[in-house]
Each structure stands twice: as structure tokens, then as C-alpha cells.
Amino acid sequence: MKTFAYRTAVTPADGLEPGAVFLAGGTNLVDLMKLGVATPDVLVDVNKLPLDEIADLPGGGLRIGAGARNSDVAADPRVRRDFPVLSEALLAGASGQLRNMATTGGNLLQRTRCRYFMDASKPCNKHTPGSGCPARDGDHRDLAILGASASCVATHPSDMAVALAALGATVRVDGPAGRRVIPVTGLHRLPGDTPERDTVLEHGELITAVEVQPLPFAHRSTYRKARDRASYAFAVGSVAAALDVHDGVVRDVRLAWGAVAHRPWRAFAAEERLRGRPATRAEFTAAADVELAAAEPLRDNAYKIDLLRRMTTAVLERLAEGTGR
């Protein structure tokens, strides 16, 4: 591991030093440092900043501090009652030990588990721009079918981010240019020609909170995750959904997919297709197919198309029947 300096942050501005990165739970960053993939010059520990509160917003929303531990968020009675999709996603994401360490901000900023990115000896455009993307012709079974590019087919690994995307959450950021608010759906970038940039954050910008605005039908929401083993593993596909049905017709819906793109994938086209239509299996499948029309699978990951179609249909059917939780 490369030698690095260590600082304790007193204010968010303490991360402006060149080569500095913020450290919270460290459940992803420390692993990457051990592998030689992440090589920061300075670690700026933000754990003493007052960023761990979960507070009510007017009308029933929540402000979740970036330092709030995943275990605390998943167990919060307000989250479980009003936004069960978020609690379920967090519980599906990692073991209790990891949830006790991982933070809200860090969870959003975790990096891909593509095996080529995780191996510093392999070419990878994410850690060595211009070196190529061997995953395209190599091991890509778990990688992207939507929004990928010739430069990168990596997927974002967070379960929590998928739930937040479905809920239309926003991220509050503090940085050298001041404070700004970013939709969760706009925080992560598609790879394009610069896959080394995971997010739209600039150097020195720190996530301070995530805000989930009131959504009257979010109490009828759920998260489903497909993975290769029953114990904790990263998704090969996941669905976060909330559904509002009145007299057998979809009045409103929120839908997001995980493990299919470089960012959590909000299924806007599928949502638009569903609103005002009967809450039936055929309509749910048709909506998934509208979204999946943009998929560009590689040799070994086309199975994700049928997987997402089936998972989306099943999740929405359960929610429509009132048995999604």
C-alpha cells in the first residue's frame, strides 16, 4: 500500500488539499487502497463532522445525514414505515457488520466491482485512462446492458442508490464553489469516453445529506435483488419499485433497476408507459420491454434482459396485489 497522510476534518473544506480523499466507513476505499487501485496522498477522516442525523422534513420526508450508518437507516422506524424500499435495499446490500460501518454518503460513492478495475495489474480505462476495456471481450457476465460505452461496461454496485433513485431522492453537497443539490439520478455519470469519472462531484466536494421527499404511495414499495448466492453478494440485477393503483389502474409508479448500468437506472420510459394503464401482468411486462428496448448486451450478459423483465413484472404484480412488503 502506498504511504499516505491522515487528517481529521473539522469542516468539509478540509478535503481541498491536492490528492486528498474523504474517508468515512472505509468499507470500499480501504479495500481499494490495499489492492493498489486507490492511491490517495491524504485521507481526510470526516467521521467527527456532525453528519449522522436522520431528521424529519416537512410533509413526511426525511433528511438522512451522509454520515448515518446503513444499519441505523435501515432500522429507523420512519424509513421502515414510509420508505420500505430503502430499508429493504440496505438490508439486502451487506452483512450486519458492514452495515454498522458503511455510511450513506460512502454507499453512494462506492466503486464498481468489475474484476478488471479491481486488479491494478490489468488494463482498465477507469483506473488507467486509455488502457482499454478488456471486460468487453472478457468476463462481463455481471456487467452493464444499458448506458455502456466502448470505453467501459462497468456497473454501479450500490443497492441503496437504486432505492433512492426510485424515490427521486436528492443529494446535498458542500464544496469549494458552495452548496448545491443534485438528484440521485444525476449524481453518477454514464461512462462515455471518460469512465474514470464515476460522478459529477468535483474535487473537494463532500456529500452532507440525502433528502427523500414525501411520496404518498412510497409505503407500498419494495426491493428485490437477484444474486449468484443466497449469502451477501453484489446483484446481477435488482428492482426498486413503488406503485399507486386505484380501481385497477396505475395512477403513479416509481421504478429503478440496479446492476445494469454505470449508475442506478431510473426506468422513466417504463414509468411513463404504465401510468393510466391497467395494473396487469401484461402491462407490467410491456412497460419493462419499453425500457429494455435500449439494452445492448454483450456476449454473456443478455440473460439480464429476461431477468429484469421477469423481476419487474413480479415485483409490480405483488405491489398491485398489496402483498409487496
Side-chain angles (χ1 to χ4, degrees), residues 256-267:
W257 292 337
V260 295
H262 201 254
R263 65 185 182 200
W265 191 269
R266 178 73 178 269

Side-chain angles (χ1 to χ4, degrees), residues 191-324:
D193 295 329
T194 54
E196 67 275 13
R197 290 197 63 194
D198 289 349
T199 73
V200 299
L201 297 181
E202 302 294 340
H203 178 70
E205 286 194 311
L206 175 68
I207 295 175
T208 57
V210 171
E211 292 189 350
V212 184
Q213 298 299 327
L215 184 65
F217 61 96
H219 66 279
R220 182 173 285 186
S221 64
T222 195
Y223 184 76
R224 182 173 294 187
K225 175 179 180 177
R227 47 192 167 192
D228 284 332
R229 61 179 188 270
S231 60
Y232 290 105
F234 294 104
V236 295
S238 66
V239 177
L243 186 66
D244 180 18
V245 175
H246 182 70
D247 289 340
V249 174
V250 176
R251 188 157 51 185
D252 205 351
V253 61
R254 299 289 188 275
L255 184 64
W257 292 337
V260 295
H262 201 254
R263 65 185 182 200
W265 191 269
R266 178 73 178 269
F268 288 112
E271 291 178 1
E272 184 63 27
R273 174 65 167 72
L274 275 175
R275 292 187 183 101
R277 292 182 178 268
T280 64
R281 174 182 295 186
E283 291 291 350
F284 297 150
T285 300
D289 284 339
V290 167
E291 194 72 42
L292 288 164
E296 295 182 346
L298 298 173
R299 180 192 63 238
D300 297 328
N301 65 1
Y303 74 94
K304 289 194 177 192
I305 293 176
D306 191 50
L307 176 69
L308 266 294
R309 178 188 297 117
R310 291 174 180 271
M311 289 178 67
T312 299
T313 301
V315 164
L316 292 174
E317 276 193 297
R318 289 193 64 195
L319 290 173
E321 295 165 358
T323 59

